[in-house]
Amino acid sequence: MPEISLFGGIRITMYYAEHNPPHFHAEYGGHKALIDIQRGYVIRGALPARQLKFALAWGEMHKDELMQNWELAKADQPLNRIMPLM
């Protein structure tokens, strides 16, 4: 599972050959969440409140890049790194 970003201890990854809806994985301190790219909500799992806020804000800021990576992943192509939340 390629890491596409890392910030504030939050690791953002995306699997190849994933299921819909388009989403990314966020991990922090043993907590994991799947976050819908287009709608910006947690599909499954949970993060601590502060880290969830950061992951959702980051996802909104990079929605287009995340969707590009989703398409790359579906085509088994290398994924692009995405700038961390500053």
Side-chain angles (χ1 to χ4, degrees):
M1 172 169 49
E3 179 180 287
I4 56 176
S5 195
L6 178 65
F7 53 90
I10 303 166
R11 182 174 182 243
I12 306 293
T13 57
M14 193 176 282
Y15 285 110
Y16 289 98
E18 271 282 23
H19 56 84
N20 281 319
H23 63 276
F24 62 91
H25 298 252
E27 300 178 24
Y28 177 83
H31 301 275
K32 298 179 181 182
L34 273 68
I35 300 175
D36 185 292
I37 295 170
Q38 295 171 321
R39 296 190 178 140
Y41 70 91
V42 175
I43 298 169
R44 182 174 64 232
L47 295 176
R50 181 176 180 173
Q51 284 71 30
L52 177 59
K53 180 177 151 183
F54 291 150
L56 292 174
W58 177 87
E60 184 62 30
M61 290 171 48
H62 297 286
K63 190 181 290 190
D64 291 340
E65 293 163 279
L66 285 163
M67 286 306 299
Q68 288 172 356
N69 270 350
W70 182 261
E71 294 302 321
L72 289 170
K74 284 180 18 184
D76 290 323
Q77 299 295 315
L79 304 183
N80 298 314
R81 294 285 299 177
I82 300 176
M83 292 295 296
L85 188 64
M86 299 282 179

